[in-house]
Amino acid sequence: MGMGNGSPIDSEAIDECVEQMRQQLDKGVVKVRFRYQKGHPFKQREGKDLRAARITVTPGIHERGGYFDIQWWENGDYKYHYREDGLEFRFGHEAANETTNKPVRHFHPPNDLDTHTKSCIEIEQPPKLVTIAVLKTWWTAVKNGDENFLNAQNGLP
Amino acid sequence: MTDEPSPPDGPDEFPTEEELPDEPVTVDDIDPFTVDDDDFEDIDDFAAAEWKNETTADERIRTVINRTTIPKSAGDIAETAQVSETKARATLNKLAEEGIVRSHQTDSGKLYGRNPEWHLLKQINQLADSETLVDQIQRVKQELAEYNAKYDATDPEELLISDKELTQNELDDVSHWRTAERELSHLRAAYRLKEAKEQGSTVTEPGDRQTGTETTTPAGNQPPLQ
């Protein structure tokens, strides 16, 4: 059980997400770095077999900026992990939750990261589309300076 | 090293002031979306409308089919790509003729998926342009050696089929291990392709010189047929 459930990492999907982020946010994307091996630091691009991307974005919800860490696996699982000083949240897709009481498409809210709330994002593919949805929830929180908007986008404000 | 704990994945990882631009960027400086909030009640509908607004139907079909490894019906692909089924079928059939898509008839209708060979060759061809192939191969080999040593196994499938119940951390290792195996095979193929390309270009040189004396032949600068 777990993200990806042992399937290989979908480096192409991660790249598509980065491209989509740049397209949507333009100068809101400050920097993009990549991880090439489990547990290793993020660094500049040095090949296409990336395992995760870290996108530094600006502005933030309460701070001047944050990190979006993005991962996709070949079984369709994904993780979008956002962090700024004093606040983090995650949108995830975990197929292995199918056999548990946790939702496959879930949201870990800022106030309680261990909680698996049902995600407002139901689309699963392609990564570009999921990225737009995640960015929209984040952007609404940024605009309002309020993280409570994050997973509350059905019946958009 | 795979034995080391993962780097901090907690709340302490966030951008420092130095990482952010000196000139602050505010919400007024960025306009991420082309469609208007007010028209949508649902995040999925909003995202779909935004994607449609930014792309053509052909682009969306290409994006979706490029990720379709398990063949699907034109209807399913149309739904994901936000296009009509008629449009999807026409484009997919065209892409199948070009070799990008592979289609096959089943009892329940025609199914479409990306052509795995076309996809693989495209990736290897792109990789072959890299100037750091040897460095990348060494990096991936080192990673594989670490997993071999850590689990005393030659490949990740041994772990998956063992009686042992794998922890989340071990499953993560399996994901990375499999990714590294895939990558090593791609990198090696790219290296061979690069070698062959370079070989090809040195072999033609003497030939060019020979034909240089016969510039008046109708063959012109085309390579000899023999």
Side-chain angles (χ1 to χ4, degrees), chain A:
Chain A
M1 222 192 62
M3 285 272 175
N5 206 15
S7 78
I9 289 156
D10 193 338
S11 311
E12 266 192 299
I14 297 169
D15 250 345
E16 286 186 10
C17 296
V18 170
E19 189 197 324
Q20 197 65 37
M21 282 270 210
R22 285 190 192 279
Q23 192 183 326
Q24 303 297 144
L25 295 182
D26 191 23
K27 63 181 167 187
V29 171
V30 179
K31 194 173 177 185
V32 180
R33 283 173 296 164
F34 303 96
R35 174 175 282 162
Y36 284 94
Q37 197 173 326
K38 188 182 169 188
H40 283 212
F42 286 91
K43 52 185 174 183
Q44 66 176 49
R45 193 177 187 89
E46 57 175 46
K48 71 170 184 68
D49 65 317
L50 41 106
R51 314 294 168 82
R54 168 167 288 176
I55 300 146
T56 310
V57 292
T58 186
I61 298 171
H62 298 298
E63 300 295 324
R64 284 183 55 218
Y67 287 151
F68 259 113
D69 288 358
I70 301 180
Q71 266 181 299
W72 278 77
W73 287 264
E74 286 188 2
N75 72 341
D77 279 356
Y78 62 73
K79 182 162 84 176
Y80 291 77
H81 190 177
Y82 176 81
R83 272 168 294 190
E84 59 179 49
D85 191 356
L87 185 156
E88 65 175 310
F89 68 86
R90 271 177 281 165
F91 278 101
H93 181 286
E94 189 168 349
N97 282 352
E98 200 88 61
T99 53
T100 70
N101 55 5
K102 293 175 191 160
V104 170
R105 291 178 298 268
H106 58 265
F107 173 68
H108 299 282
N111 54 1
D112 185 3
L113 287 167
D114 293 330
T115 307
H116 281 69
T117 313
K118 195 171 174 296
S119 170
C120 64
I121 300 168
E122 295 201 349
I123 36 170
E124 302 189 313
Q125 286 285 348
K128 284 170 181 280
L129 187 54
V130 176
T131 301
I132 294 173
V134 172
L135 274 182
K136 173 65 179 166
T137 68
W138 168 77
W139 183 249
T140 309
V142 169
K143 261 196 323 195
N144 291 281
D146 183 352
E147 65 271 26
N148 291 313
F149 284 93
L150 283 168
N151 194 35
Q153 315 261 322
N154 287 342
L156 286 167

Side-chain angles (χ1 to χ4, degrees), chain B residues 126-145:
Chain B
Q126 282 171 352
L127 255 189
D129 291 335
S130 168
E131 295 298 324
T132 58
L133 283 176
V134 174
D135 292 344
Q136 292 182 60
I137 289 170
Q138 284 185 312
R139 163 163 59 74
V140 176
K141 275 176 72 176
Q142 170 70 30
E143 183 184 7
L144 287 169

Side-chain angles (χ1 to χ4, degrees), chain B:
Chain B
M1 287 288 288
T2 47
D3 284 333
E4 285 175 3
S6 291
D9 216 19
D12 295 339
E13 288 267 298
F14 50 79
T16 57
E17 284 297 312
E18 297 85 71
E19 285 180 70
L20 297 166
D22 294 336
E23 193 75 20
V25 177
T26 72
V27 286
D28 300 324
D29 299 323
I30 302 173
D31 189 12
F33 305 107
T34 57
V35 294
D36 196 352
D37 276 17
D38 303 338
D39 302 337
F40 303 93
E41 294 218 332
D42 183 285
I43 184 81
D44 291 340
D45 295 342
F46 174 89
E50 174 67 24
W51 191 39
K52 275 179 87 164
N53 217 24
E54 295 171 357
T55 50
T56 66
D58 281 330
E59 285 168 346
R60 292 194 300 280
I61 294 167
R62 287 287 287 253
T63 298
V64 172
I65 199 66
N66 187 44
R67 303 193 40 77
T68 308
T69 48
I70 301 162
K72 292 197 168 75
S73 70
D76 285 348
I77 289 163
E79 200 184 322
T80 312
Q82 319 281 336
V83 301
S84 74
E85 194 175 329
T86 318
K87 170 66 185 166
R89 186 168 288 114
T91 305
L92 289 167
N93 284 333
K94 198 167 105 282
L95 293 173
E97 276 172 32
E98 293 169 20
I100 296 165
V101 164
R102 185 176 279 180
S103 67
H104 67 275
Q105 203 68 45
T106 68
D107 291 342
S108 51
K110 208 171 181 183
L111 298 183
Y112 300 86
R114 76 178 184 201
N115 179 345
E117 279 174 28
W118 187 89
H119 190 79
L120 180 64
L121 289 174
K122 189 183 80 174
Q123 286 189 307
I124 290 169
N125 201 25
Q126 282 171 352
L127 255 189
D129 291 335
S130 168
E131 295 298 324
T132 58
L133 283 176
V134 174
D135 292 344
Q136 292 182 60
I137 289 170
Q138 284 185 312
R139 163 163 59 74
V140 176
K141 275 176 72 176
Q142 170 70 30
E143 183 184 7
L144 287 169
E146 286 170 20
Y147 285 122
N148 292 151
K150 182 174 177 182
Y151 291 103
D152 192 22
T154 52
D155 64 65
E157 276 66 30
E158 280 185 48
L159 246 75
L160 287 171
I161 60 166
S162 70
D163 294 332
K164 193 173 180 299
E165 178 151 358
L166 300 179
T167 63
Q168 170 67 65
N169 192 38
E170 287 166 337
L171 271 174
D172 270 352
D173 281 351
V174 169
S175 281
H176 282 270
W177 195 346
R178 288 170 134 182
T179 310
E181 283 191 323
R182 175 193 74 199
E183 218 43 45
L184 184 60
S185 73
H186 286 191
L187 286 164
R188 281 183 165 152
Y191 184 81
R192 294 291 175 222
L193 177 62
K194 196 184 177 80
E195 250 185 354
K197 281 178 173 176
E198 282 161 5
Q199 189 72 20
S201 62
T202 53
V203 170
T204 52
E205 267 171 40
D208 287 347
R209 222 172 292 136
Q210 274 181 354
T211 54
T213 57
E214 306 169 22
T215 44
T216 52
T217 57
N221 53 10
Q222 283 172 9
L225 288 171
Q226 294 88 330

